Amino acid sequence: MARSHFTLAALATSAVAGADIVTTRELTSSTGGRFDSAVVGLRSGEEYVVRVPTGSDAESEQSRDLVALNALTPGVRSRLPFHIPAYVGQAPTGDTRAVVYDYIQGRPASLDDIGGEGSASDSIGRAIAAVHSLPTSVVSDAGLPANTSAQIAATSKKLADRAGASGKVPQELLTRWALALDDSALWQFQPTVVNGALAPESFLVVGDQVTGVLGWQNLRVGDPALDLFWLNSASSASSAERVHAAYDASLSKPADHQLQKRARLYAELEIARWLLHGVDSRDASIVADAESMLTGLAATVQNDLLNPLSTDTGQVLAVEDVEALLDRTPVPGRSFSPSSPAGAPHANRIAED
């Protein structure tokens, strides 16, 4: 049974010595019921968020998030154009704990906030670039994971191989993924600090500006494409391109020309991960859902020969061949966009296996 916001307010009083709480309200979030959460107001005017995990997975996530927040020192935070939650206190409750953070103004973004003029696209691109521009010592000094490009490629290959061994992935996808995973040019990138768990709702926005970024449990040195793969779920390619353009413009180093290809690969491998989640949990409904998504993806990539994942594009098509190929391409809005089904493990966990 979910804890009421009044119960959570009482826990916040225990967690923060001297807290004079005068208001409390439920906090709407997109955590899928994995946390009970509320916003409490102090007589001083400050507001806090109190969160209690509802299961062991959420508890582990919260613990890793606290480690990351501790690594993000005031000096590091001053480099970022948005706020990061600050730990305030904690209190035991049952066999878990309530954790209190400061409250950041803003609403969780959605894919609807990715678009043209007046959208949060530019601010989101700048926010991601700021994270990727942090010195990698932020992560290494805290003892958090630091992966090389070769390690990341190997981990992705392991995931693809496991999915292939299930016998439920169309052969054309296995071939497509193998070509990308064996393409050394695709994996010649400089690992950066990454959030590792970004999704639209990670960004708190007010108007067209990002005010905060939540969910730092996968903070690491890794592939910057892991923080951008979710853009493949955007309603149109132009919407995602606006974020990428703002991202590229905000980086002080040369652009990674293979980044979007790797991001697309991670988005496709997310479906493989969802499949394996169903296989491992012996949930036939998840397996069937993943198989349906993989079939749809296979049909789409067959009609998307102009956008391979590997850098070797093969034979150059004649103009008439390109025109014929475009005639066969599905109309916008009907092509497959990989996205996480409700309850699906987040794709950035590809980097954690």
Side-chain angles (χ1 to χ4, degrees):
M1 180 177 178
R3 299 168 179 84
S4 73
H5 59 98
F6 296 108
T7 298
L8 294 172
L11 289 170
T13 301
S14 300
V16 184
D20 185 7
I21 296 174
V22 295
T23 64
T24 179
R25 66 181 188 274
E26 294 180 353
L27 176 62
T28 301
S29 65
S30 57
T31 58
R34 295 182 304 114
F35 293 90
D36 295 331
S37 55
V39 178
V40 297
L42 280 62
R43 194 174 301 278
S44 63
E46 293 178 274
E47 289 187 310
Y48 294 153
V49 172
V50 55
R51 302 175 81 208
V52 179
T54 60
S56 58
D57 287 347
E59 186 173 19
S60 175
E61 177 183 308
Q62 186 181 68
S63 295
R64 289 183 286 117
D65 187 62
L66 289 173
V67 172
L69 294 181
N70 185 60
L72 297 169
T73 63
V76 173
R77 294 169 186 243
S78 68
R79 297 169 175 253
L80 302 173
F82 52 81
H83 295 290
I84 295 173
Y87 167 80
V88 179
Q90 61 181 324
T93 173
D95 58 357
T96 186
R97 61 183 171 178
V99 178
V100 180
Y101 312 82
D102 65 339
Y103 177 70
I104 301 173
Q105 295 290 336
R107 62 172 177 80
S110 69
L111 288 175
D112 291 337
D113 293 293
I114 310 298
E117 296 291 340
S119 73
S121 297
D122 292 346
S123 187
I124 288 173
R126 290 191 295 268
I128 299 173
V131 175
H132 295 177
S133 298
L134 291 173
T136 56
S137 59
V138 169
V139 168
S140 58
D141 289 352
L144 294 170
N147 304 115
T148 66
S149 57
Q151 289 171 327
I152 295 166
T155 300
S156 299
K157 186 177 187 302
K158 177 182 176 182
L159 174 61
D161 288 345
R162 282 191 63 211
S166 73
K168 300 180 183 300
V169 181
Q171 184 58 50
E172 52 266 47
L173 290 182
L174 294 177
T175 301
R176 173 179 169 87
W177 296 342
L179 288 172
L181 291 165
D182 290 338
D183 183 358
S184 60
L186 194 67
W187 302 96
Q188 293 177 7
F189 66 90
Q190 182 63 45
T192 68
V193 174
V194 296
N195 169 284
L198 290 183
E201 60 271 15
S202 303
F203 302 93
L204 297 177
V205 297
V206 173
D208 62 354
Q209 296 299 309
V210 173
T211 57
V213 176
L214 307 177
W216 293 86
Q217 64 273 7
N218 286 343
L219 179 66
R220 64 184 58 237
V221 171
D223 187 348
L226 286 170
D227 280 348
L228 292 154
F229 86 91
W230 58 272
L231 287 167
N232 286 280
S233 298
S235 59
S236 69
S238 60
S239 296
E241 283 299 326
R242 189 176 181 96
V243 177
H244 280 291
Y247 170 84
D248 289 340
S250 300
L251 289 176
S252 57
K253 56 187 177 182
D256 176 356
H257 297 296
Q258 308 306 328
L259 182 143
Q260 292 193 47
K261 288 183 182 292
R262 295 196 310 278
R264 177 67 183 271
L265 173 63
Y266 293 142
E268 295 182 11
L269 289 178
E270 165 66 352
I271 310 175
R273 176 170 291 282
W274 181 231
L275 170 69
L276 291 174
H277 174 64
V279 171
D280 293 342
S281 61
R282 299 183 180 181
D283 189 321
S285 64
I286 293 178
V287 172
D289 181 50
E291 285 190 277
S292 176
M293 295 173 70
L294 289 166
T295 299
L297 174 60
T300 297
V301 298
Q302 282 184 319
N303 291 318
D304 195 25
L305 299 180
L306 291 179
N307 291 293
L309 292 176
S310 60
T311 58
D312 181 6
T313 58
Q315 181 180 2
V316 177
L317 299 180
V319 173
E320 58 270 22
D321 295 328
V322 173
E323 291 175 345
L325 187 61
L326 292 175
D327 287 339
R328 299 197 304 271
T329 301
V331 297
R334 288 168 51 191
S335 61
F336 177 80
S337 288
S339 60
S340 296
H346 203 277
N348 54 67
R349 293 182 185 172
I350 290 171
E352 297 176 32
D353 290 345

